[in-house]
Amino acid sequence: MEAKQSDDAAVLIPKPESKGKAVVDAPPPPPVAVAARKATVLRRVGWKKGVAIFDFVLRIGAAAAAFAAATAVGQAEQVLPFFTQFLQFHVEFTDLPTLTFFVVANATAGGYLVLSLPFSITCIIRPHKVGPRLFLIILDSVMTALTIAAAGATTAIMYLAHNGSTDANWLAVCQQYTDFCQQVTGAVVASFVAAVFLILLVAVSAFALKRSSH
Amino acid sequence: MEAKQSDDAAVLIPKPESKGKAVVDAPPPPPVAVAARKATVLRRVGWKKGVAIFDFVLRIGAAAAAFAAATAVGQAEQVLPFFTQFLQFHVEFTDLPTLTFFVVANATAGGYLVLSLPFSITCIIRPHKVGPRLFLIILDSVMTALTIAAAGATTAIMYLAHNGSTDANWLAVCQQYTDFCQQVTGAVVASFVAAVFLILLVAVSAFALKRSSH
């Protein structure tokens, strides 16, 4: 904010600068230098706007991936076509606490990403504002952690479900529940995509914050 | 760096604006204002130095936690006091791929944190430099993701090992391997501590980058 003020002041106070090339004859600064300076400022603002728009697009992509992951696991269930006297073979995400965490974490991240869109728009409209960007970079990294933790945990569980573990005497349950496992594995990939987008968002915000210092 | 230049320019060209109300009309800036400005700059540098030192301390703490986690799991093994004709009951981290990933990820994060200490020192010595800080914030968030993924995956596995899963017919192997499970659970906590420190490092770097813009 202060940076912006000082920029504005520098542009506005010596009158002839406000319209660059058109005005002549102003004794204080030579017009060519002023025009060059104004072009630099404009280019900088354009660069920042571009970054902010990229941030906005990434955010929508990450939200879509997170919601897709949450929905895919939330709706995945499978009933096997055979059953014993005592139980029917039926699986859904609430059977494994890790999958419940996966759904909650991805839904939370998706919800946050949608709610953060207005802040991203603020950054597009006012590319020099540092406050919203700082707010976004910190919450983005927390949400990255949440998404990655959920994706990592589910990967570990799905690896066990696919391959089992002879040492722990755990069977590869995916040999029965093929469709369910496929759907959850797809959701894990979507969740990792969301996480990569979120890491990119942190990097983009860091670059934008750096640019603020110019 | 440029921000500093433009600040300086704003101070030098329209003279009276540099300190608003306080300053009078003298063409060379009065010594009081200069002193005040210098004090502000010094305070700002001090603030940034404090942040950089905090970053350094956090980094050492995170490295220690990550190495502790890697070592605890890497050295954990347990042999049960009974065996059958065919197998001896013995467990170590290579039995579960997730634990191998945990050790590798935490060792990597610890190694990165140690290697990043010189950059952190650079930030202490030259608090205004933006390059190393940007480098650190991006690699820090990648390492956060790695640590969190490993910690989340191991949490999921250890939850299964402690409680089993009746739906998947997986037994709670921790009922036999109590010592091993305790050690690994402790390591998971250490890994989460490292991850929290890393998230704090990202937040600290973001604040420091924001401060660069003033």
Side-chain angles (χ1 to χ4, degrees), chain B residues 72-104:
Chain B
V73 172
Q75 295 195 327
E77 67 170 329
Q78 191 178 3
V79 181
L80 291 191
F82 52 84
F83 48 88
T84 67
Q85 201 177 349
F86 302 107
L87 68 160
Q88 197 189 14
F89 293 95
H90 168 260
V91 66
E92 56 178 345
F93 77 95
T94 47
D95 291 343
L96 284 166
T98 308
L99 293 185
T100 313
F101 171 55
F102 182 86
V103 172
V104 171

Side-chain angles (χ1 to χ4, degrees), chain A residues 13 44 130 170-171 210 213, chain B residues 2-3 17 130 170-171 210:
Chain A
I13 289 151
R44 227 175 259 158
V130 173
W170 289 342
L171 296 175
K210 182 210 157 196
S213 66
Chain B
E2 269 184 57
E17 275 160 47
V130 173
W170 289 341
L171 296 175
K210 182 209 156 196

Side-chain angles (χ1 to χ4, degrees), chain B residues 110-135:
Chain B
Y112 155 75
L113 283 164
V114 168
L115 290 177
S116 72
L117 287 178
F119 290 92
S120 184
I121 293 172
T122 310
C123 289
I124 295 177
I125 299 171
R126 295 179 188 282
H128 273 293
K129 275 222 164 179
V130 173
R133 202 157 274 294
L134 197 66
F135 175 77

